[in-house]
Amino acid sequence: MSSHLDISTLFNPRSVAVIGASSDPAKIGSRIVHNIVSGGFMGRVYPVNPKGGTLAGIPFSRKMEDIDGPVDVAVIAVPAPGVLGAVKDCCGKGVRHALIITSGFSEVGNRTEEAAITLHARKHGMRVLGPNIFGVYSAAASLNATFGPSKIRRGSVAIVSQSGALGLAMIGKTMMENIGLSAIVSVGNKADLNEVELLEYLVEDPNTEVILLYMEGIRDGPTLVKTLSRVARSKPVIAIKSGRSRRGAMAAASHTGSLAGADEVFDAIMRQCGVIRAESIGEAFDLCRTFASVPIAPGGPLLIITNGGGIGVLSADACEKHGLPLFDDTAVLGEAFAGVTPDFGSTRNPIDITGGATPRDYDVALETALKIPGVGGVLALYCETAVFDSKALAGILKKHSSLYYQAGKPVAFSALGGESTERTIEELRKARIPVFSDVYSAVFCLSALDRHFNERKRPLPGTPEPVVGLEVINRICEKALKKERFFLLADENAEVLRTAGIRCPPAGISTSIGEAVHLAEGMGYPVALKVISKDVIHKSDAGGVVLTLENRNEVMDAHEAIMRNVTTHQPEAVIRGIEVVKMAPSGLEMIVAARRDPVFGPTIMIGLGGI
Ligand code: COA
């Protein structure tokens, strides 16, 4: 395990060597040198090529050992057969971190070579990122050691991507979408360093305010869960995980060679860790934009201001879908907005200032909303109209977002219209103001903000209490397993539950009608009768259950009926007896299940039960 200090060298190196740089500028290694130099890296750069030559005015070192001075990070971009040798050279030079760009390892089944690389690096205390990566960008060191775009927008979003091509594409896309990055890291095959260590660094990194993870497979589920639970309580973490569908999971496994795990388990775990899951890159970017600018505040009921009834209704629907409460003190709203809203508008939330609303009306409405104490956040909606030039919108939204942020109150905007509106949206995004062209996205992001705030207050889950009577429970299960029976019979189940401290209604097993009546009289009516047989798992289907028996005659009839039904339904079934159970008062039926997830370990499922 690396310490935080160790990993920080990866993001703040004093010197970087690039093994596989070439005089041919089109080579990946050359591209990386070009990006490091043009990105304004403040440390030293050493291109390495056995043939010698120069690149970007820097003479090549023929061998690592020729480099005069220490090397913190080495980028390896030579064909796969030469990587182990390059790794050895790096270890010899005392390199702290090697970034292995080269593909052709475990992702294509070449595990032995990858393991040899990791083993050698570990022995010499060198950490490896990759292989099969596009590199690292770190705003802290102005280091663009990637073979992606040379221009990267600086900002506060850190991206950790398991997919190389997608990560590279995201760099370009963040530039277009005006999202600034504090770091972007490609983890590839995760032979050594993985998300856990990167998260440990990013949570402490003062430049990073938001963390975006793109994951395909997870190696060490329990450690990731522990780390995420802690990290997501201090910085918003957004996760995109592919492989939701069966086909997607298969594609992911062949892409990076890692196991995806059951998606529903992943989904539930992310929620429990306080991580926000995005369904798409677009959604993830919307969330990044919001978290990077809107204050994370106590939130509370939302107030919607709109000049269009339709989008007002849509946004109210979206609030309900995402569980975001609406501010509903109609008396307060009526008084506050009477002057801004015409008679044919509405002072009920959503406040409809109508299609005739002017820039000034928006200005006043936003100012009014900010002053209402119970309002936790505001969503202002705009539909382009002839009486309100979209250009005027930019000024108003800039002014109010700054006032709202100062007051620590979340505000988001949604604008819908033609060319002029789209231009305004772009202008505002450049100014780091979250404007959405879709009300659903706006509400989704505000609800994520609210969830994240609440998440921060939630205490970390404690250590689970030891299971009561574990030995007794294990003994019951082992006894069944010895008989090659993979389920428990009613009486065994009851004993397990009782041992674990879960109350069960009184019950007993009868082997004759007389015994059944005796048991029923003892516990009092009404009772239920259920067949006990290792051959009958679905008792109701075999006619093996009769409920609500009120007296001895009904018990006798039911007993006979069960014996008849079961022997007709399953003549070969061995019947051990009939269970007599006191009827429980009606309540909520539940199902509880447990399974060992291959990635995350023991998981439990709880849900509504019944037939
Ligand atoms: N030390 C230093 N230089 C070495 C070397 C070594 N051990 N072995 C080879 N070189 C030199 C080569 O001679 C060449 O320089 P030259 O042009 O002066 O001859 C340079 O390094 C590059 O080697 P080359 O054989 O031309 O390979 P390449 O640049 O075509 O491809 C990779 C190398 C790493 C890019 C390629 O193997 C690869 O893995 N590509 C996929 C990368 C990828 O997609 N990664 C996933 C992230 S999205």
Side-chain angles (χ1 to χ4, degrees):
M1 250 300 164
S2 78
S3 73
H4 168 68
L5 254 176
D6 262 350
I7 188 112
S8 114
T9 315
L10 175 63
F11 293 90
N12 302 282
R14 290 158 301 168
S15 51
V16 178
V18 181
I19 307 175
S22 154
S23 312
D24 176 355
K27 295 269 171 85
I28 283 188
S30 308
R31 186 77 214 165
I32 293 173
V33 172
H34 167 83
N35 277 351
I36 295 176
V37 173
S38 70
F41 174 54
M42 292 166 287
R44 308 199 58 159
V45 191
Y46 304 107
V48 181
N49 185 304
K51 294 178 200 154
T54 58
L55 185 65
I58 310 169
F60 289 137
S61 302
R62 286 180 192 268
K63 293 196 293 287
M64 279 299 282
E65 59 184 90
D66 293 350
I67 296 173
D68 185 17
V71 175
D72 285 337
V73 168
V75 184
I76 300 177
V78 300
V83 172
L84 182 57
V87 163
K88 287 180 178 167
D89 293 346
C90 291
C91 290
K93 179 71 189 160
V95 169
R96 309 277 296 275
H97 293 274
L99 317 187
I100 306 177
I101 304 291
T102 315
S103 303
F105 294 94
S106 65
E107 84 281 8
V108 293
N110 184 6
R111 292 181 193 280
T112 326
E113 186 85 354
E114 191 170 298
I117 289 169
T118 322
L119 190 71
H120 190 87
R122 286 232 170 103
K123 243 194 230 162
H124 292 82
M126 183 176 79
R127 302 304 307 263
V128 171
L129 191 67
N132 192 25
I133 60 168
F134 61 77
V136 166
Y137 164 74
S138 165
S142 293
L143 173 70
N144 179 3
T146 75
F147 62 94
S150 50
K151 277 210 159 58
I152 299 183
R153 191 182 296 280
R154 266 171 181 278
S156 58
V157 177
I159 302 180
V160 176
S161 175
Q162 194 172 359
S163 164
L166 191 69
L168 285 178
M170 280 201 270
I171 301 180
K173 192 79 180 144
T174 50
M175 193 77 192
M176 294 299 297
E177 298 260 335
N178 297 297
I179 292 172
L181 301 180
S182 57
I184 180 159
V185 194
S186 173
V187 288
N189 297 2
K190 303 192 260 195
D192 177 25
L193 287 169
N194 61 35
E195 290 93 353
V196 168
E197 286 137 312
L198 297 169
L199 283 165
E200 299 282 4
Y201 168 77
L202 294 171
V203 74
E204 301 288 337
D205 173 31
N207 297 313
T208 300
E209 282 170 27
V210 187
I211 300 167
L212 169 60
L213 295 175
Y214 172 82
M215 289 182 274
E216 285 183 352
I218 293 146
R219 286 274 158 83
D220 179 359
T223 311
L224 181 68
V225 168
K226 242 195 209 154
T227 312
L228 277 176
S229 315
R230 203 163 30 76
V231 172
R233 272 173 178 73
S234 92
K235 288 185 184 178
V237 180
I238 298 149
I240 317 174
K241 180 176 165 289
S242 59
R244 191 155 240 198
S245 62
R246 270 177 74 84
R247 284 299 281 269
M250 274 156 61
S254 64
H255 187 186
T256 39
S258 44
L259 214 54
D263 192 71
E264 62 274 22
V265 173
F266 177 84
D267 207 65
I269 287 178
M270 287 304 116
R271 230 178 313 120
Q272 286 163 33
C273 289
V275 170
I276 300 141
R277 187 168 184 185
E279 293 283 339
S280 63
I281 307 283
E283 204 171 271
F285 281 6
D286 279 344
L287 288 164
C288 288
R289 193 177 290 119
T290 309
F291 278 111
S293 49
V294 183
I296 296 159
L302 187 75
L303 184 65
I304 302 167
I305 297 167
T306 182
N307 69 340
I311 49 167
V313 176
L314 278 177
S315 56
D317 285 350
C319 285
E320 190 170 303
K321 183 179 169 206
H322 293 295
L324 201 59
L326 288 173
F327 183 82
D328 60 2
D329 191 332
T330 43
V332 168
L333 293 177
E335 197 178 315
F337 286 96
V340 207
T341 315
D343 293 344
F344 50 89
S346 170
T347 59
R348 283 167 183 268
N349 197 2
I351 308 286
D352 187 354
I353 54 174
T354 78
T358 61
R360 200 188 126 61
D361 293 332
Y362 260 88
D363 197 23
V364 176
L366 280 163
E367 200 178 308
T368 308
L370 181 60
K371 288 188 198 135
I372 303 176
V375 169
V378 171
L379 172 61
L381 313 175
Y382 164 83
C383 283
E384 194 175 302
T385 64
V387 291
F388 187 162
D389 184 357
S390 312
K391 279 188 220 130
L393 193 64
I396 296 171
L397 300 199
K398 276 182 194 165
K399 169 184 152 191
H400 284 287
S401 25
S402 125
L403 289 172
Y404 273 69
Y405 295 173
Q406 274 167 32
K409 210 172 245 195
V411 65
F413 309 98
S414 173
L416 195 65
E419 212 181 317
S420 158
T421 304
E422 286 298 320
R423 267 202 304 272
T424 306
I425 292 180
E426 202 182 325
E427 182 190 334
L428 287 163
R429 284 184 175 176
K430 271 191 189 140
R432 291 189 20 145
I433 294 168
V435 189
F436 302 86
S437 33
D438 173 40
V439 289
Y440 257 86
S441 314
V443 171
F444 172 67
C445 290
L446 285 172
S447 74
L449 210 65
D450 200 50
R451 254 186 299 148
H452 176 68
F453 178 81
N454 291 321
E455 205 52 51
R456 286 183 166 199
K457 292 185 301 191
R458 211 159 58 96
L460 271 171
T463 321
E465 301 215 355
V467 180
V468 185
L470 192 60
E471 272 170 36
V472 178
I473 295 170
N474 279 342
R475 220 176 306 127
I476 297 169
C477 297
E478 276 155 21
K479 224 165 88 190
L481 284 171
K482 246 186 218 144
K483 293 183 191 155
E484 297 206 351
R485 180 156 51 79
F486 300 103
F487 59 94
L488 298 181
L489 297 173
D491 51 328
E492 296 166 331
N493 267 327
E495 201 184 336
V496 167
L497 291 175
R498 261 195 301 274
T499 310
I502 298 168
R503 276 191 301 131
C504 301
I509 300 168
S510 66
T511 48
S512 66
I513 292 193
E515 233 181 305
V517 170
H518 180 72
L519 281 167
E521 309 260 287
M523 63 185 69
Y525 294 102
V527 297
L529 259 53
K530 302 176 185 179
V531 69
I532 300 186
S533 164
K534 67 173 173 45
D535 306 310
V536 186
I537 301 175
H538 302 291
K539 299 187 284 288
S540 303
D541 295 352
V545 180
V546 185
L547 303 177
T548 336
L549 306 168
E550 301 284 0
N551 52 51
R552 61 183 294 138
N553 285 345
E554 285 186 13
V555 168
M556 285 156 73
D557 290 349
H559 197 284
E560 265 175 30
I562 288 177
M563 294 305 274
R564 199 173 46 240
N565 292 344
V566 174
T567 37
T568 318
H569 192 263
Q570 272 176 261
E572 80 295 347
V574 178
I575 298 172
R576 204 173 99 193
I578 292 196
E579 191 189 19
V580 182
V581 196
K582 186 156 173 65
M583 281 296 292
S586 63
L588 191 66
E589 289 189 55
M590 285 180 70
I591 181 168
V592 178
R595 91 167 161 203
R596 206 168 281 273
D597 184 84
V599 174
F600 294 104
T603 57
I604 61 167
M605 179 267 278
I606 301 177
L608 289 177
I611 296 175

